[in-house]
Structures are given as structure tokens and as C-alpha cells.
């Protein structure tokens, strides 16, 4: 499929620039959703076929980011997937997060009894020290487009044994460097 054919998969009227918060689906995804809804409505299939479809999507995403399929979690939102991770940290654990981080990668940490330290994105690596239990950051900030100092953040987290949560929502498909555990909303109606 060439670029012109790919662009025709979307039919925005009159145009669409807000894909970070409300991504419109390509025609093929919309048609697949209509088929699934019709099957559900008429009882033509069961959850087992939808589960196989989810697994195919998981494997395709894994290939896109260069990880094993079993390392990809599937959920309705990043916050939903991060909530149990944040809740598993002991009370008072220190979590370093950029001060403009997307809410789905910030709120799960804030609603728990954790010491959440926010710093400008460019200062995340420098804020990681021996007291840091976790680091949660976006590879690319949705608010500004700023690309994180990925290698420096990863190195600092490893040096201090901190859990690393890297949200690749804005980066997958656009950045050459992504890490396992990344999250993606491409062509979904919500932003992860």
C-alpha cells in the first residue's frame, strides 16, 4: 500500500488534527468494529474469537515495537494498566515523574500513598537517585512534543534499581527508540 492509498483509509470532515485525544479510526478498523458489533448483536460468535483477535493485535504490536508478544499487555487505557503497578509499591515509595506528564501516566501514582516527585522533563534522569523506587515518563511528551533523554533515564533507573515505566503513546511509529512495556493508542478513540 502506498502513502496515497494509506491516507484514503481516513475520512475526516473537514480535517482532523486532534488525534492525541480523539483518534479517528481508519475505514478498515471502523468496518471491523461494525462486523464485531453485528456478530455480538446477533449472537453469531463468542468471546473466544474476539480473544484470538486481541492476541493477533498483541502480536502485531509486539512486532512493531520489537518485543515478544507475551510482554505486551492489553487494556482499555494506560491508567487502567498502571493502577495495579502503582498500588503494588509500598507506601511512601518515591516515584519520579515529569511535571507535564500525561494524566494517564501520572494519576495512578498520585492516588496511592506514594512520594511523587515531579520535575521538568529534561531533569528526569538527574532526579533519579538512591531514594527512587520508580520512574514514570513519556518517551515523547504529548503536550510539547519534547523527546525524553531516553538513554539517560534508562541508565539512571538501572543504576539505582528503580522500576521504569516508559509510556510510548506519542512515540510508537515516530521514534526509532522504544522500550519494552510501552503503551500505544494508535487509531483508538481514547488516548491511552
Amino acid at each position: 500500500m502506498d502513502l496515497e492509498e494509506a491516507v484514503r483509509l481516513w475520512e475526516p470532515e473537514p480535517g482532523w488534527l486532534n488525534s492525541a485525544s480523539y483518534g479517528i479510526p481508519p475505514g478498515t478498523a471502523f468496518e471491523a468494529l461494525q462486523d464485531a458489533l453485528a456478530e455480538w448483536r446477533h449472537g453469531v460468535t463468542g468471546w473466544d474469537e474476539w480473544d484470538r483477535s486481541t492476541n493477533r493485535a498483541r502480536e502485531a504490536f509486539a512486532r512493531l515495537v520489537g518485543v515478544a508478544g507475551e510482554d505486551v499487555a492489553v487494556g482499555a487505557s494506560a491508567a487502567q494498566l498502571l493502577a495495579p503497578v502503582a498500588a503494588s509499591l509500598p507506601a511512601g515509595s518515591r516515584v519520579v515523574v515529569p511535571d507535564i506528564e500525561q494524566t494517564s501516566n501520572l494519576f495512578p501514582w498520585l492516588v496511592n500513598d506514594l512520594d511523587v516527585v515531579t520535575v521538568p522533563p529534561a531533569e528526569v534522569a538527574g532526579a533519579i537517585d538512591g531514594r527512587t523506587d520508580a520512574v514514570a515518563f513519556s518517551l515523547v511528551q504529548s503536550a510539547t512534543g519534547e523527546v525524553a533523554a531516553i538513554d539517560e533515564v534508562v541508565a539512571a533507573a538501572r543504576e539505582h534499581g528503580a522500576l521504569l515505566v516508559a509510556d510510548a503513546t506519542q512515540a510508537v511509529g515516530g521514534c526509532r527508540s522504544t522500550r519494552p512495556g510501552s503503551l500505544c493508542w494508535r487509531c483508538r478513540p481514547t488516548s491511552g
Side-chain angles (χ1 to χ4, degrees):
M1 175 180 309
D2 66 19
L3 180 59
E4 189 174 310
E5 290 172 315
V7 169
R8 284 196 304 261
L9 291 174
W10 282 267
E11 299 176 20
E13 293 179 16
W16 195 258
L17 298 175
N18 193 17
S19 60
S21 65
Y22 185 84
I24 61 173
T28 51
F30 181 82
E31 290 164 11
L33 175 60
Q34 299 311 305
D35 290 345
L37 289 171
E39 289 173 355
W40 177 28
R41 182 175 185 197
H42 300 290
V44 174
T45 190
W47 64 268
D48 52 334
E49 178 54 36
W50 298 332
D51 189 50
R52 284 190 287 278
S53 177
T54 299
N55 285 328
R56 286 191 300 273
R58 178 194 326 269
E59 292 296 328
F61 180 76
R63 287 190 302 278
L64 177 67
V65 298
V67 301
E70 60 267 15
D71 290 337
V72 176
V74 176
S77 71
Q80 172 211 16
L81 293 169
L82 289 176
V85 176
S88 73
L89 294 176
S93 293
R94 184 172 191 247
V95 182
V96 175
V97 183
D99 59 2
I100 61 169
E101 188 62 24
Q102 218 290 341
T103 57
S104 60
N105 194 22
L106 175 62
F107 288 0
W109 313 104
L110 289 175
V111 300
N112 286 281
D113 186 17
L114 304 173
D115 177 22
V116 179
V117 177
T118 60
V119 297
E123 297 176 22
V124 170
I128 301 167
D129 60 24
R131 298 169 296 160
T132 306
D133 297 295
V135 182
F137 74 108
S138 290
L139 300 181
V140 175
Q141 284 297 327
S142 63
T144 65
E146 182 177 354
V147 178
I150 299 165
D151 293 335
E152 290 84 358
V153 173
V154 170
R158 285 184 176 158
E159 177 183 344
H160 297 289
L163 171 69
L164 183 67
V165 176
D167 183 338
T169 299
Q170 305 297 326
V172 172
C175 288
R176 294 176 55 89
S177 178
T178 59
R179 302 283 184 221
S182 60
L183 304 165
C184 181
W185 53 260
R186 294 281 163 137
C187 303
R188 275 195 7 202
T190 60
S191 65

